[in-house]
């Protein structure tokens, strides 16, 4: 596919819709850590069925999301994304099937009938330290069903601790919040705050 950048920072794929496409996105990393990506899929009038995917009915099936940190000297550090969360999953095609090793399944979103923006997160178990000038390379792999490739999308990266990240943003873990709220934290709460 070819990609056209949209005003809102999203990307619209064009050209022939490949049988099984892999989108490769590379961008500089800001900050000193990486722990995951947020994928936003958006309906568009230029996509079949004015929906979310490039298949003729407007659906997609995402099989794998792969991430690598590209450091100085062409050093590549793969980052295993182990936690998935989505606002919505089509019955039988849940987001937790992404990266599960089964290329016959993946995440789908009822593109023929559900034409609303949707978000999914793909997170590492722990943040990965990144050096200055590092880049992130993300691969969105569509290998399950022919031509079921994502339509318009936007990617964002985070370096926040994965256990504090959700689709609603970054949250403060309950133990940290309780310690911070305590008028006089006890010894255990002081350790949480340290």
């Amino acid at each position: 596919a070819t990609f056209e950048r949209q005003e809102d920072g999203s990307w619209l794929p064009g050209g022939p819709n490949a049988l099984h496409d892999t989108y490769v996105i590379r961008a500089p990393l800001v900050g000193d850590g990486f722990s995951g990506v947020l994928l936003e899929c958006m309906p568009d009038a230029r996509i079949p069925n004015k929906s979310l995917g490039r298949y003729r009915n407007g659906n997609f099936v995402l099989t794998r999301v792969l991430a690598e940190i590209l450091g100085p000297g062409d050093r590549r550090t793969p980052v295993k994304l182990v936690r998935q969360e989505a606002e919505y999953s089509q019955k039988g095609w849940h987001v937790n099937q992404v990266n599960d090793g089964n290329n016959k399944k993946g995440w789908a979103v009822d593109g023929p009938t559900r034409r609303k923006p949707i978000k999914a997160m793909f997170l590492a178990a722990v943040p990965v330290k990144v050096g200055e000038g590092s880049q992130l390379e993300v691969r969105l792999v569509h290998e399950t069903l022919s031509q079921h490739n994502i339509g318009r999308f936007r990617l964002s990266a985070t370096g926040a601790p994965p256990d504090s990240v959700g689709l609603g943003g970054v949250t403060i873990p309950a133990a940290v919040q309780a310690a911070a709220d305590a008028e006089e934290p006890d010894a255990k709460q002081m350790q949480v705050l340290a």
Side-chain angles (χ1 to χ4, degrees):
T2 59
F3 295 96
E4 181 183 332
R5 189 167 175 91
Q6 306 300 295
E7 286 183 20
D8 64 358
S10 65
W11 295 93
L12 181 68
N17 188 19
L19 285 179
H20 301 285
D21 214 342
T22 297
Y23 300 171
V24 180
I25 303 92
R26 189 180 286 182
L29 277 167
V30 179
D32 61 357
F34 169 76
S35 59
V37 293
L38 172 68
L39 171 63
E40 299 173 83
C41 302
M42 298 158 228
D44 194 284
R46 297 165 286 185
I47 295 172
N49 206 21
K50 299 179 183 176
S51 193
L52 301 167
R54 297 189 72 198
Y55 190 65
R56 67 178 171 255
N57 68 3
N59 211 359
F60 69 79
V61 179
L62 181 63
T63 313
R64 292 184 288 146
V65 177
L66 307 173
E68 279 189 307
I69 306 301
L70 309 178
D74 294 327
R75 187 175 39 121
R76 298 175 84 83
T77 305
V79 179
K80 189 172 182 180
L81 303 174
V82 297
R83 186 177 127 216
Q84 305 84 8
E85 182 181 337
E87 292 176 321
Y88 177 83
S89 293
Q90 180 177 322
K91 185 176 182 178
W93 300 89
H94 196 273
V95 72
N96 65 12
Q97 294 171 317
V98 173
N99 294 346
D100 74 353
N102 179 1
N103 68 357
K104 304 264 188 253
K105 287 299 225 171
W107 177 49
V109 295
D110 279 323
T113 58
R114 193 172 191 282
R115 296 177 189 93
K116 299 178 197 172
I118 192 164
K119 296 177 186 176
M121 295 194 66
F122 303 91
L123 297 163
V126 295
V128 175
K129 284 271 194 204
V130 299
E132 189 175 325
S134 292
Q135 292 191 320
L136 172 64
E137 183 175 283
V138 175
R139 293 176 182 269
L140 303 177
V141 182
H142 310 88
E143 60 191 351
T144 305
L145 297 176
S146 296
Q147 296 187 316
H148 279 67
N149 304 308
I150 290 175
R152 185 173 165 195
F153 69 94
R154 179 172 44 222
L155 280 175
S156 308
T158 184
D163 60 348
S164 70
V165 178
L167 287 171
V170 177
T171 59
I172 299 171
V176 173
Q177 188 65 55
D181 290 344
E183 197 167 305
E184 290 187 37
D186 61 27
K188 187 174 181 180
Q189 290 173 323
M190 289 302 289
Q191 284 181 328
V192 169
L193 292 172

